[in-house]
Amino acid sequence: MMMVRRRRGPGGFLWLGNQRALDFLNTEVMARGERVDLLQTGADLVAWLAEAGLLSDAALREARERWADSPAGRRLVAEARALRGELRLAVDRIVAGKAVPPSALEAVNALLRERAGWAEVVRAGRRFARRFHFDVSEPRRLLVPLAEAASDLLCEADLARVRRCENPACILYFYDASKNHGRRWCSMSGCGNRMKAAAHYRRTRGLPPAPHE
């Protein structure tokens, strides 16, 4: 399962989930109390896939040329948002200790059935790695790497480590890769500091702690 440490990429996307399916969920963020969708166009989706490292350079070039700014790209964004909604429902239920709904599994499996491409062995430093090149000659196949990331999460991750930020006003998710399993916030520089400052304010004024403290 892929682990990453980046916080924000050049396209404004957040990379703090430690797992690509969770990073995909984090393309919806809160700003000034409102939900903001970072995937507005086909070009946005292709840019996210590029930053995520889920497609080869050749596949990205083809996707940009054929689908990024086309009617098919607009339909693709709608499908990506629908998939994200199913994955959000699944992850919310995982966090709550409940079963993943069948609709989420079917959404993932429907895309996995469209997987097309080829694998090759490449050098990775002093070792070798197997890399899959996705065929994106059909626009919907751009979503297959997202389904692959979701299957990695469901099949390979310790689901007890899947968390939602404990800031009630935040909607971001992450995979807790800390040694003591104690990560509580999407980031310490963001929600962590805000929540600690709020807790300090309540303590110094003799106010009761918030329910999440």
Side-chain angles (χ1 to χ4, degrees):
M1 185 179 61
M2 184 182 295
M3 294 294 180
V4 294
R5 297 296 179 192
R6 289 180 292 162
R7 294 304 184 193
R8 189 178 290 273
F13 302 114
L14 295 174
W15 304 101
L16 47 77
N18 279 339
Q19 205 280 336
R20 284 295 181 249
L22 300 180
D23 286 325
F24 178 55
L25 292 188
N26 293 342
T27 55
E28 271 192 308
V29 301
M30 296 296 292
R32 297 187 176 91
E34 300 288 337
R35 278 184 183 252
V36 176
D37 196 328
L38 302 179
L39 299 180
Q40 295 292 323
T41 66
D44 292 336
L45 178 61
V46 173
W48 187 91
L49 290 166
E51 286 192 29
L54 293 178
L55 293 176
S56 68
D57 290 343
L60 285 169
R61 284 195 298 271
E62 182 175 2
R64 289 190 181 104
E65 292 170 1
R66 300 183 65 178
W67 314 121
D69 295 307
S70 68
R74 290 190 286 275
R75 291 191 295 271
L76 189 65
V77 169
E79 288 193 62
R81 289 172 170 176
L83 174 64
R84 187 180 58 192
E86 289 290 352
L87 295 181
R88 185 180 299 279
L89 177 60
V91 171
D92 277 341
R93 291 181 67 87
I94 288 170
V95 170
K98 299 179 181 179
V100 171
S103 62
L105 295 179
E106 178 51 35
V108 170
N109 287 333
L111 287 168
L112 292 178
R113 287 192 286 270
E114 296 194 20
R115 188 178 191 258
W118 65 94
E120 67 177 4
V121 176
V122 298
R123 288 190 177 275
R126 295 184 178 181
R127 305 179 65 183
F128 295 92
R130 184 169 56 247
R131 180 177 300 163
F132 192 84
H133 292 267
F134 291 94
D135 178 349
V136 295
S137 58
E138 297 295 331
R140 196 163 186 262
R141 289 178 182 166
L142 281 174
L143 303 183
V144 174
L146 301 175
E148 294 272 8
S151 70
D152 286 346
L153 177 68
L154 295 173
C155 299
E156 298 181 16
D158 178 356
L159 297 182
R161 289 190 171 209
V162 177
R163 309 277 170 80
R164 178 170 171 161
C165 179
E166 290 189 18
N167 179 356
C170 184
I171 60 172
L172 301 182
Y173 301 84
F174 58 88
Y175 185 83
D176 183 4
S178 64
K179 292 183 179 180
N180 63 356
H181 304 188
R183 182 177 169 187
R184 300 176 61 191
W185 321 108
C186 59
S187 71
M188 278 306 302
S189 60
C191 287
N193 285 341
R194 284 193 289 271
M195 299 306 292
K196 287 179 180 295
H200 176 73
Y201 176 89
R202 285 189 292 271
R203 285 195 303 271
T204 58
R205 283 157 180 77
L207 299 174
H212 54 274
E213 291 178 12

